Amino acid sequence: MLAKRIIPCLDVQNGRTVKGVNFVNLRDAGDAVELARIYAENGADELTFLDITATIEERGTFTSLVRSISEVIDIPFTVGGGIRSVKDVGRLLEAGADKISINSMAVKDPSIISTLALEFGSQCVVCAIDVRKSTTIENSHEVYVSGGRVATGIEALSWAKEVEDRGAGEILLTSMDSDGTKNGFAIDITRSMSDLLSIPIIASGGAGTKDHFLSVFEEGKADAALAASIFHFSEIPIGELKIFLQKHGIPIRLKH
């Protein structure tokens, strides 16, 4: 069985790491490069960097910051925010990213998923899907874009299936309802997506305790769990979390 992954996430705005609740009320969480270095040293399996206002501000991701982060870490590094073309991806990979994450652009032009998968390989393409419970259809989730600001009317599971069919290598599933609440991951949608697809699902949004990670792996069937504030504000050390998960039978890599 493949080891489950723990992935800290750096949401970056104006070069600083920020964290909010339900995608709003952002507060400063520190220097992105320094946080990245600490996470790599403390046993994170991967690192995700999301330039959260790049799409809204219609600009590319801060490549200089990506380069600075890549220089202080030795773990797989995923970068997202404002990616619109093959050229954008090439620039980020050259700056030190191992994978890229696309969201708004994939919804706008789904063919970019297959284009990037063909150009760089599926393993390089992570499709981020931000979802919120539908207010009109029961037991359904709707896809949002532009940093959670715009509802698309697209049903989450059917979009996830299309994303897989078009060649994405992984899905980063964020529950906007759970984001920053520390009340636990959205187990239902995570499990539904994991059952439906054969590519890995990274669960994001809602981590507050070690048990939340255990639940999302056991019940939600996630392949990886991503969190931000609990790591940024040193509420749960990564090493401690991994030992806890291993003791509860979750296959996990411990840093030696």
Side-chain angles (χ1 to χ4, degrees):
M1 193 174 175
L2 281 174
K4 302 292 188 181
R5 292 168 287 149
I6 300 296
I7 307 175
C9 181
L10 302 172
D11 291 319
V12 174
Q13 183 178 42
N14 305 324
R16 295 285 293 177
T17 308
V18 294
K19 187 60 204 149
V21 177
N22 306 126
F23 281 43
V24 293
N25 300 329
L26 303 178
R27 61 177 171 143
D28 190 274
D31 177 71
V33 179
E34 184 56 21
L35 284 170
R37 187 183 60 73
I38 291 166
Y39 294 145
E41 284 175 1
N42 291 348
D45 295 297
E46 298 187 11
L47 183 70
T48 293
F49 167 106
L50 300 176
D51 187 338
I52 59 171
T53 51
T55 298
I56 302 116
E57 292 167 9
E58 296 183 345
R59 57 166 175 78
T61 311
F62 295 127
T63 41
S64 58
L65 190 52
V66 169
R67 188 171 283 110
S68 299
I69 291 171
S70 74
E71 285 167 2
V72 300
I73 63 173
D74 56 358
I75 52 177
F77 183 28
T78 301
V79 177
I83 293 168
R84 293 183 288 271
S85 65
V86 165
K87 197 171 147 191
D88 288 344
V89 174
R91 203 172 64 240
L92 291 170
L93 296 179
E94 190 206 352
D98 299 291
K99 302 187 242 187
I100 57 89
S101 170
I102 51 171
N103 183 343
S104 303
M105 189 63 205
V107 173
K108 190 176 169 187
D109 176 15
S111 69
I112 195 169
I113 302 169
S114 19
T115 302
L116 296 178
L118 282 169
E119 183 77 25
F120 303 104
S122 284
Q123 82 292 334
C124 178
V125 183
V126 179
C127 198
I129 303 181
D130 296 337
V131 304
R132 185 166 257 162
K133 281 180 186 158
S134 170
T135 49
T136 50
I137 306 159
E138 208 176 334
N139 299 324
S140 170
H141 285 73
E142 185 179 359
V143 175
Y144 280 68
V145 293
S146 298
R149 289 167 174 79
V150 180
T152 63
I154 298 168
E155 194 277 318
L157 292 175
S158 58
W159 172 235
K161 188 74 188 89
E162 181 176 345
V163 160
E164 178 180 52
D165 292 344
R166 286 180 179 272
E170 279 184 300
I171 286 175
L172 169 54
L173 170 66
T174 300
S175 161
M176 292 174 62
D177 299 304
S178 305
D179 174 72
T181 63
K182 300 186 186 172
N183 293 329
F185 292 95
I187 302 294
D188 52 350
I189 180 71
T190 306
R191 186 175 53 242
S192 299
M193 209 171 271
S194 298
D195 285 341
L196 180 68
L197 308 180
S198 56
I199 58 174
I201 305 296
I202 303 164
S204 164
T209 68
K210 293 173 197 166
D211 282 310
H212 290 156
F213 286 89
L214 187 60
S215 299
V216 85
F217 288 137
E218 284 185 341
E219 299 163 47
K221 301 183 182 176
D223 299 275
L226 178 143
S229 53
I230 58 159
F231 296 143
H232 300 339
F233 303 114
S234 307
E235 290 163 37
I236 300 179
I238 292 170
E240 203 179 282
L241 171 63
K242 287 183 141 191
I243 289 165
F244 168 84
L245 291 169
Q246 191 185 53
K247 280 181 179 166
H248 284 80
I250 302 295
I252 204 106
R253 283 187 212 91
L254 293 179
K255 194 171 173 74
H256 297 298

